Amino acid sequence: MIDALITSKTRIKLLTKFFLNRHAKAYLRGLAQEFGESSNAIRLELNRFEQAGLISSETDGNKKVFRANSKHPLFKDIHSILLKHLGLDHIINKVIEGLGNIKKVYLTGDYAHGVSGDIIDLIFVGNEIDKAYLIKLIDKAEQMIHRKFRYLSFTEEEEKRYFQDKNADDYLLLWQE
């Protein structure tokens, strides 16, 4: 969907990297390695985003580190478009409607780090989650967006134990009651 509007694959990768998780940050050479693209192609796009105020940079030693400008008026809109592109908005809305007593939904794995992949990892927190219904929703979403989903479900107590040793960059809170 988004690739019909934005023809630069590098631009789409950068948007996903920085605008899916507002905490994501990276430097030029790291992005070149991660994306498997030339640093010049990435530098051009980073410069465009920085000139538009969509991303900001700071110097860390001899590296220029980039991150999304979450105060930009379009940040929330771009974030929302990316969630729609990944099909996460559909799953979250459906999950909240009929899955049970859902308290939170987290995105983890590659996408939480802003790295596009074939598998989307989600964590559902709540009590009495209807797992049969969840499997049906995930099957529909996988067919719709041509990506696989992996999920975990936790009670609120299990969530506390699971996240106590985790880095905040390893997960992204998508929805909370």
Side-chain angles (χ1 to χ4, degrees):
M1 168 186 82
I2 200 168
D3 47 349
L5 296 171
I6 302 172
T7 56
S8 168
K9 295 200 184 307
T10 303
R11 196 172 301 151
I12 292 170
K13 289 176 185 177
L14 288 169
L15 286 170
T16 302
K17 175 74 176 179
F18 293 115
F19 286 85
L20 195 57
N21 184 345
R22 75 177 64 229
H23 301 294
K25 52 186 173 180
Y27 61 98
L28 178 62
R29 291 197 195 281
L31 290 168
Q33 287 178 333
E34 183 179 315
F35 296 165
E37 295 188 27
S38 76
S39 57
N40 284 337
I42 295 170
R43 182 182 295 115
L44 285 171
E45 296 298 342
L46 288 171
N47 288 340
R48 285 184 181 127
F49 284 153
E50 197 168 22
Q51 288 171 355
L54 291 168
I55 63 171
S56 60
S57 64
E58 59 190 35
T59 304
D60 182 17
N62 63 350
K63 296 177 183 174
K64 188 174 182 180
V65 179
F66 297 91
R67 73 173 61 221
N69 176 3
S70 60
K71 293 182 170 95
H72 192 282
L74 294 177
F75 179 86
K76 288 182 181 177
D77 295 324
I78 294 170
H79 178 78
S80 177
I81 288 169
L82 287 170
L83 291 177
K84 285 177 176 53
H85 170 65
L86 296 174
L88 296 176
D89 64 321
H90 177 73
I91 284 190
I92 291 168
N93 289 337
K94 291 292 184 184
V95 162
I96 293 163
E97 286 175 11
L99 200 54
N101 188 11
I102 297 293
K103 301 293 184 188
K104 297 177 187 170
V105 179
Y106 292 98
L107 177 67
T108 65
D110 287 343
Y111 280 100
H113 293 279
V115 178
S116 186
D118 293 331
I119 298 175
I120 298 172
D121 295 297
L122 297 170
I123 296 176
F124 299 96
V125 179
N127 299 314
E128 303 172 17
I129 295 174
D130 184 348
K131 291 184 181 169
Y133 182 63
L134 176 59
I135 291 169
K136 286 181 187 178
L137 288 176
I138 286 176
D139 284 343
K140 282 183 184 178
E142 286 177 344
Q143 291 171 15
M144 211 168 72
I145 65 169
H146 308 293
R147 287 185 176 87
K148 291 288 184 187
F149 285 89
R150 230 179 347 215
Y151 73 91
L152 295 171
S153 61
F154 293 141
T155 64
E156 290 177 273
E157 188 61 38
E158 291 169 329
E159 172 200 18
K160 289 176 190 170
R161 286 193 307 262
Y162 179 80
F163 285 112
Q164 76 185 32
D165 297 332
K166 299 290 182 194
N167 183 343
D169 292 341
D170 291 337
Y171 56 91
L172 174 65
L173 182 63
L174 292 175
W175 182 86
Q176 183 173 356
E177 181 181 63

